[in-house]
Short mmCIF file of all heavy atoms in Angstrom, two decimals:
data_model
loop_
_atom_site.label_atom_id
_atom_site.label_comp_id
_atom_site.label_asym_id
_atom_site.label_seq_id
_atom_site.Cartn_x
_atom_site.Cartn_y
_atom_site.Cartn_z
N VAL A 46 109.72 163.90 81.91
CA VAL A 46 110.79 163.11 82.51
C VAL A 46 111.18 163.73 83.84
O VAL A 46 111.13 164.95 84.01
CB VAL A 46 112.01 163.01 81.56
CG1 VAL A 46 112.62 164.39 81.30
CG2 VAL A 46 113.05 162.02 82.08
N ASP A 127 102.04 153.72 71.14
CA ASP A 127 100.80 153.74 71.92
C ASP A 127 100.57 152.38 72.55
O ASP A 127 101.27 151.41 72.25
CB ASP A 127 99.60 154.15 71.04
CG ASP A 127 99.34 153.17 69.91
OD1 ASP A 127 99.40 151.94 70.13
OD2 ASP A 127 99.08 153.61 68.77
N ASN A 148 93.60 128.49 97.17
CA ASN A 148 93.12 127.12 97.38
C ASN A 148 92.82 126.43 96.05
O ASN A 148 92.08 125.46 95.99
CB ASN A 148 91.87 127.12 98.27
CG ASN A 148 90.71 127.89 97.65
OD1 ASN A 148 90.87 128.54 96.61
ND2 ASN A 148 89.55 127.83 98.28
N GLY A 159 113.29 133.47 74.55
CA GLY A 159 114.30 133.41 73.51
C GLY A 159 114.90 132.05 73.27
O GLY A 159 115.62 131.85 72.28
N SER A 160 114.62 131.09 74.16
CA SER A 160 115.25 129.78 74.01
C SER A 160 114.30 128.60 74.23
O SER A 160 114.74 127.45 74.20
CB SER A 160 116.45 129.66 74.96
OG SER A 160 116.05 129.86 76.31
N TYR A 184 100.82 123.62 73.62
CA TYR A 184 101.73 122.79 74.43
C TYR A 184 101.34 122.84 75.90
O TYR A 184 101.28 121.80 76.58
CB TYR A 184 103.18 123.24 74.24
CG TYR A 184 104.17 122.34 74.95
CD1 TYR A 184 104.44 121.07 74.48
CD2 TYR A 184 104.84 122.77 76.10
CE1 TYR A 184 105.34 120.22 75.13
CE2 TYR A 184 105.74 121.94 76.76
CZ TYR A 184 105.99 120.67 76.27
OH TYR A 184 106.86 119.83 76.92
N PRO A 202 119.41 145.35 77.59
CA PRO A 202 120.41 145.46 76.53
C PRO A 202 121.30 144.23 76.35
O PRO A 202 121.69 143.90 75.23
CB PRO A 202 121.25 146.66 76.96
CG PRO A 202 121.08 146.73 78.44
CD PRO A 202 119.71 146.21 78.74
N GLY A 208 117.52 138.86 80.84
CA GLY A 208 116.44 139.80 81.13
C GLY A 208 116.47 140.37 82.52
O GLY A 208 115.62 141.19 82.89
N SER A 219 111.71 144.34 72.48
CA SER A 219 111.51 144.44 71.03
C SER A 219 112.13 143.26 70.30
O SER A 219 111.90 143.10 69.10
CB SER A 219 112.11 145.75 70.52
OG SER A 219 113.47 145.85 70.90
N TRP A 279 126.39 141.18 91.11
CA TRP A 279 125.83 141.39 89.77
C TRP A 279 126.40 142.62 89.08
O TRP A 279 126.04 142.92 87.94
CB TRP A 279 124.31 141.48 89.86
CG TRP A 279 123.70 140.25 90.50
CD1 TRP A 279 124.12 138.97 90.35
CD2 TRP A 279 122.61 140.22 91.42
NE1 TRP A 279 123.33 138.12 91.10
CE2 TRP A 279 122.40 138.85 91.78
CE3 TRP A 279 121.76 141.18 91.98
CZ2 TRP A 279 121.39 138.45 92.65
CZ3 TRP A 279 120.75 140.78 92.85
CH2 TRP A 279 120.57 139.43 93.18
N ALA A 299 104.94 148.03 88.44
CA ALA A 299 104.24 146.77 88.74
C ALA A 299 102.79 146.84 88.28
O ALA A 299 102.29 145.91 87.61
CB ALA A 299 104.31 146.49 90.24
N ASP A 314 111.85 139.23 91.85
CA ASP A 314 113.18 138.63 91.87
C ASP A 314 114.03 139.18 93.00
O ASP A 314 113.96 140.37 93.33
CB ASP A 314 113.86 138.93 90.52
CG ASP A 314 115.22 138.27 90.39
OD1 ASP A 314 115.27 137.03 90.44
OD2 ASP A 314 116.22 138.99 90.27
N SER A 318 117.97 140.18 98.55
CA SER A 318 119.00 141.19 98.29
C SER A 318 118.50 142.60 98.56
O SER A 318 119.29 143.51 98.81
CB SER A 318 119.49 141.09 96.84
OG SER A 318 118.55 141.63 95.93
N ASP A 323 123.46 143.65 104.17
CA ASP A 323 124.63 142.77 104.19
C ASP A 323 124.46 141.55 103.29
O ASP A 323 125.23 140.59 103.40
CB ASP A 323 124.98 142.35 105.62
CG ASP A 323 123.85 141.61 106.32
OD1 ASP A 323 122.75 141.47 105.72
OD2 ASP A 323 124.04 141.16 107.47
N ALA A 332 126.33 148.51 105.00
CA ALA A 332 125.72 149.63 105.69
C ALA A 332 124.75 149.10 106.75
O ALA A 332 124.45 147.91 106.81
CB ALA A 332 124.98 150.51 104.68
N LEU A 342 115.19 149.31 105.59
CA LEU A 342 113.84 149.71 105.98
C LEU A 342 113.08 150.36 104.84
O LEU A 342 111.84 150.24 104.76
CB LEU A 342 113.90 150.63 107.20
CG LEU A 342 114.56 150.03 108.45
CD1 LEU A 342 114.58 151.03 109.60
CD2 LEU A 342 113.86 148.74 108.88
N PHE A 418 112.45 117.08 106.89
CA PHE A 418 112.66 118.32 107.66
C PHE A 418 111.77 119.46 107.17
O PHE A 418 111.25 120.24 107.98
CB PHE A 418 114.14 118.74 107.57
CG PHE A 418 114.43 120.04 108.26
CD1 PHE A 418 114.29 120.17 109.64
CD2 PHE A 418 114.81 121.16 107.54
CE1 PHE A 418 114.54 121.37 110.28
CE2 PHE A 418 115.07 122.37 108.16
CZ PHE A 418 114.92 122.47 109.54
N MET A 429 105.80 128.14 97.49
CA MET A 429 105.83 127.55 96.16
C MET A 429 107.09 126.70 96.06
O MET A 429 108.19 127.16 96.42
CB MET A 429 105.83 128.62 95.07
CG MET A 429 106.02 128.09 93.66
SD MET A 429 105.92 129.38 92.38
CE MET A 429 104.14 129.54 92.23
N VAL A 461 110.15 110.02 90.26
CA VAL A 461 109.68 110.01 91.64
C VAL A 461 109.92 111.37 92.30
O VAL A 461 109.13 111.81 93.15
CB VAL A 461 110.30 108.85 92.45
CG1 VAL A 461 111.77 109.06 92.73
CG2 VAL A 461 109.56 108.64 93.77
N ALA A 522 92.57 117.08 97.18
CA ALA A 522 93.45 116.89 98.34
C ALA A 522 94.84 117.44 98.11
O ALA A 522 95.56 117.75 99.07
CB ALA A 522 93.54 115.40 98.69
N TYR A 548 102.74 109.40 103.31
CA TYR A 548 101.99 110.50 103.91
C TYR A 548 100.60 110.61 103.30
O TYR A 548 100.30 110.02 102.25
CB TYR A 548 102.74 111.83 103.77
CG TYR A 548 103.31 112.13 102.40
CD1 TYR A 548 102.56 112.82 101.44
CD2 TYR A 548 104.62 111.78 102.08
CE1 TYR A 548 103.10 113.12 100.19
CE2 TYR A 548 105.17 112.08 100.84
CZ TYR A 548 104.40 112.75 99.89
OH TYR A 548 104.94 113.05 98.67
N SER A 618 95.24 98.38 108.13
CA SER A 618 96.35 98.52 107.20
C SER A 618 96.03 97.77 105.90
O SER A 618 95.03 97.04 105.81
CB SER A 618 97.65 97.97 107.82
OG SER A 618 97.49 96.59 108.13
#
Side-chain angles (χ1 to χ4, degrees):
V46 63
D127 62 42
N148 62 353
S160 57
Y184 185 72
S219 55
W279 303 323
D314 184 62
S318 75
D323 59 356
L342 300 180
F418 177 65
M429 173 177 279
V461 71
Y548 47 90
S618 60

